[in-house]
Amino acid sequence: MDKSIFNFKIQYKDGKVIDLHEDKNLWVSSFRILSPSPDHVTEKIDGRHGSLLLETTLQERKIRASFTIEAVDAIDFDLFRDELFKIFNPLKKFYIIRDLQPKKRMEVSVSSEFDIDYLTLEDGEFSVDFVINSVFLESIGTTLDPLVTTYDRWQVGQGLIGEDTKYIHSTNSFRIYNSGDVPVDPCVVPLNIKFKGTSNSLSIINETTGDVWKYNGITNVSDTIELKGIRSLKNGLSIFKDTNKKLISIDSGWNDFRITGATSPFEISFDFRFYYF
């Protein structure tokens, strides 16, 4: 039996991957992913029509996948049911990677109980509900992978452009491209900015967002500064107290960067994933 077009793989946090068709002989009969659900915060103003929109955030996102299974006999079916409970373990977060878009993944949890409807003593069908707490899908590749669709971590539909999108620079002014649909916020998703070289009062400035990160110290040619998520490190040790205690985010699209306080030669790299609706 050929794969369903809705087939997907499960990738666990330890790196183990299960193809539901090839490894478990499951037929994925449908895969429905809902759009992001907005949560609008509004205020009613006396004498004014409607309301004033103050803020919008996105609620967790829902998925429902339906399956059919075939077993050799009733005992095999019963054992397979137990294995399905292990595969779709609600205590673990894991990634779903769909065959239709194999270079994007979504981090999910099983969000509710499920039961198998017996069609015969050997066949059955069931549905599993998942939730994407982070809302967004993410690229499997990062910006430090070769950014071409012929490379095995990228596909069409990921916003890649024909321009030279470099993520390692050695000049004081440069541009960084975020091909995702949403900004990369280091408070929410991984972002690793690494500077190697000599500097005095190093500043990293994203002129597009207005973000400025500054280190009130010096670095030598062999030193490495790392902005790893919300942490600021020098040669692996925290320097947070010696910074302006700010963060760098990267907006969707082009971001214009400027470096001050650095002495050539130096190198700065940006390592992150792209995030999609």
Side-chain angles (χ1 to χ4, degrees):
M1 181 171 60
D2 293 334
K3 282 187 181 184
S4 161
I5 62 169
F6 301 114
N7 186 66
F8 60 86
K9 298 179 180 65
I10 290 177
Q11 181 185 48
Y12 296 100
K13 296 291 185 172
D14 62 2
K16 180 182 178 181
V17 176
I18 293 176
D19 184 303
L20 294 184
H21 177 79
E22 292 184 357
D23 299 327
K24 300 302 175 183
N25 200 32
L26 282 173
W27 175 264
V28 185
S29 53
S30 69
F31 186 93
R32 300 176 63 185
I33 178 169
L34 275 65
S35 68
S37 176
D39 184 7
H40 299 302
V41 178
T42 61
E43 181 180 345
K44 182 71 174 70
I45 300 176
D46 292 341
R48 178 172 174 174
H49 298 300
S51 60
L52 180 65
L53 179 61
L54 301 177
E55 181 185 28
T56 299
T57 56
L58 298 176
Q59 301 180 45
E60 58 191 20
R61 198 167 177 183
K62 298 176 182 178
I63 297 170
R64 167 163 283 198
S66 297
F67 309 85
T68 59
I69 62 173
E70 296 180 0
V72 176
D73 53 32
I75 295 175
D76 183 49
F77 190 103
D78 210 54
L79 292 171
F80 195 16
R81 180 203 60 200
D82 293 345
E83 185 174 1
L84 290 172
F85 293 158
K86 293 180 183 179
I87 293 171
F88 300 112
N89 182 349
L91 293 176
K92 293 184 177 181
K93 281 183 174 291
F94 50 83
Y95 296 103
I96 286 177
I97 304 172
R98 301 168 60 218
D99 289 1
L100 286 172
Q101 295 198 49
K103 308 310 176 186
K104 294 180 182 178
R105 67 185 187 182
M106 54 199 83
E107 186 186 50
V108 305
S109 299
V110 175
S111 62
S112 61
E113 63 185 10
F114 65 92
D115 188 20
I116 301 172
D117 292 328
Y118 288 79
L119 303 177
T120 68
L121 289 179
E122 297 86 23
D123 303 323
E125 59 185 15
F126 65 100
S127 295
V128 181
D129 293 325
F130 304 97
V131 60
I132 309 176
N133 295 108
S134 64
V135 179
F136 303 107
L137 284 65
E138 66 182 43
S139 63
I140 289 179
T142 79
T143 51
L144 295 187
D145 292 316
L147 281 159
V148 290
T149 54
T150 53
Y151 187 63
D152 65 1
R153 293 199 173 191
W154 303 104
Q155 63 173 59
V156 295
Q158 286 187 288
L160 304 184
I161 59 177
E163 297 183 50
D164 187 14
T165 50
K166 293 171 57 179
Y167 295 89
I168 301 176
H169 295 271
S170 56
T171 58
N172 292 93
S173 297
F174 53 87
R175 306 178 81 196
I176 294 294
Y177 188 72
N178 174 9
S179 74
D181 300 325
V182 294
V184 173
D185 180 349
C187 292
V188 180
V189 297
L191 170 61
N192 194 3
I193 302 173
K194 188 178 292 186
F195 173 91
K196 296 180 180 179
T198 304
S199 70
N200 188 345
S201 296
L202 175 69
S203 291
I204 302 173
I205 305 160
N206 185 342
E207 296 183 322
T208 299
T209 62
D211 296 334
V212 178
W213 179 90
K214 185 174 182 178
Y215 172 48
N216 302 312
I218 63 172
T219 60
N220 297 314
V221 66
S222 59
D223 290 328
T224 299
I225 294 287
E226 195 170 6
L227 279 61
K228 193 171 185 178
I230 63 173
R231 303 177 69 199
S232 295
L233 307 171
K234 178 181 177 181
N235 301 328
L237 301 176
S238 176
I239 53 169
F240 180 75
K241 64 181 178 62
D242 298 318
T243 72
N244 63 345
K245 301 176 176 60
K246 302 294 183 181
L247 299 172
I248 295 291
S249 63
I250 301 177
D251 206 353
S252 184
W254 283 110
N255 292 251
D256 294 306
F257 274 85
R258 182 163 53 90
I259 304 297
T260 65
T263 303
S264 294
F266 66 84
E267 180 180 278
I268 186 168
S269 63
F270 293 73
D271 187 13
F272 59 93
R273 300 180 192 275
F274 304 130
Y275 296 86
Y276 309 94
F277 285 118

